[in-house]
Amino acid sequence: MSDGTAADLFFDAAIGLLQRVREEEAGPIAAAGTLLADTVAAGGRLFAFGAGHSSLAAQDVVYRAGGLALMNLLAVPGVVGVDVTPATLGSALERVDGLASAVLDTSPLRAGDALVIISLSGRNALPVEMARGARALGVKVIGVTSVAYAAETTSRHASGTFLKDHCDIVLDSKIAVGDAELTLDTIPAPFAPASTVVTSALMQAVMATTAAVLADRGIEPPLLRSGNVDGGHEWNGRVLREYGDRIFYRR
């Protein structure tokens, strides 16, 4: 490879995407962080949802050292990751009409809360219905998606709409349709997905913004520390006790 190894090419592609979202999504990142800070300050709760590999970025901000203690995972059985057998069942469940409504009906979400929905394509029934249903409850919705899918694919929801059409704020990951950054003449299919890298970075940028906005307002951000540093467990115990009524991953 005259232009570098496959690893070099992937790093170049991922860094390029990170630079794009840093420059082009600065406004939405600031808005999303402020929305979450507003929710915390008003006594609301924070939730994150993603299906399949999109769930990785949602899980990464829940019960996380250096992260906000108030981020809760809104889990849908069978679609949280690839641990379900067969793994293809998760993809099928994303297309089932009505599943999101059943989840919302039994979830702790209520008016005044905020929900981050992560879906790379944003075209399946589950994320579309989740966003629509959450907003109907009075929940603020932040969507993390690749807007390109709305221009280059068709919706799988009966409304013909995408996740981006039902959000208060949209963060565009800039990931190309197909989520594969590299092509080589010697390999018959595109390869090397970067959506997890970019989406996780977007989420952590929003979390950092939320903490900074709260601090600017004189509110101590409810942050967790690593349990592997001295004093970490004691610190976390205090935070978890103080905000126990807004934390659902301990129940």
Side-chain angles (χ1 to χ4, degrees), residues 21-187:
V21 297
R22 178 181 184 178
E23 296 167 1
E24 298 173 19
E25 297 301 297
I29 289 169
T34 301
L35 186 156
L36 295 185
D38 290 342
T39 304
V40 172
R45 296 88 58 79
L46 309 180
F47 296 85
F49 165 76
H53 287 93
S54 290
S55 179
L56 296 174
Q59 294 180 60
D60 190 48
V61 297
V62 176
Y63 190 52
R64 189 72 163 85
L68 292 171
L70 303 191
M71 287 301 305
N72 298 281
L73 185 67
L74 183 62
V76 178
V79 305
V80 175
V82 294
D83 56 335
V84 63
T85 302
T88 51
L89 175 61
S91 298
L93 288 174
E94 287 186 66
R95 305 175 189 180
V96 174
D97 293 333
L99 179 57
S101 296
V103 170
L104 290 173
D105 287 345
T106 56
S107 80
L109 271 169
R110 67 187 185 193
D113 292 344
L115 171 63
V116 182
I117 300 178
I118 305 168
S119 174
L120 179 60
S121 74
R123 69 187 298 217
N124 289 312
L126 184 56
V128 173
E129 289 184 357
M130 187 75 73
R132 294 176 65 175
R135 292 182 88 188
L137 292 172
V139 174
K140 295 294 185 181
V141 174
I142 298 169
V144 185
T145 187
S146 171
V147 173
Y149 276 83
E152 300 179 37
T153 69
T154 57
S155 170
R156 290 186 174 131
H157 187 258
S159 67
T161 60
F162 289 74
L163 169 61
K164 73 174 186 63
D165 301 315
H166 305 285
C167 299
D168 296 281
I169 298 170
V170 175
L171 301 177
D172 184 4
S173 64
K174 316 294 181 182
I175 300 296
V177 173
D179 192 18
E181 293 301 318
L182 303 184
T183 57
L184 289 175
D185 292 341
T186 54
I187 298 177

Side-chain angles (χ1 to χ4, degrees), residues 233-244:
H233 286 300
E234 292 75 16
W235 172 280
N236 292 342
R238 174 184 66 82
V239 173
L240 294 174
R241 285 192 301 273
E242 183 175 350
Y243 292 95

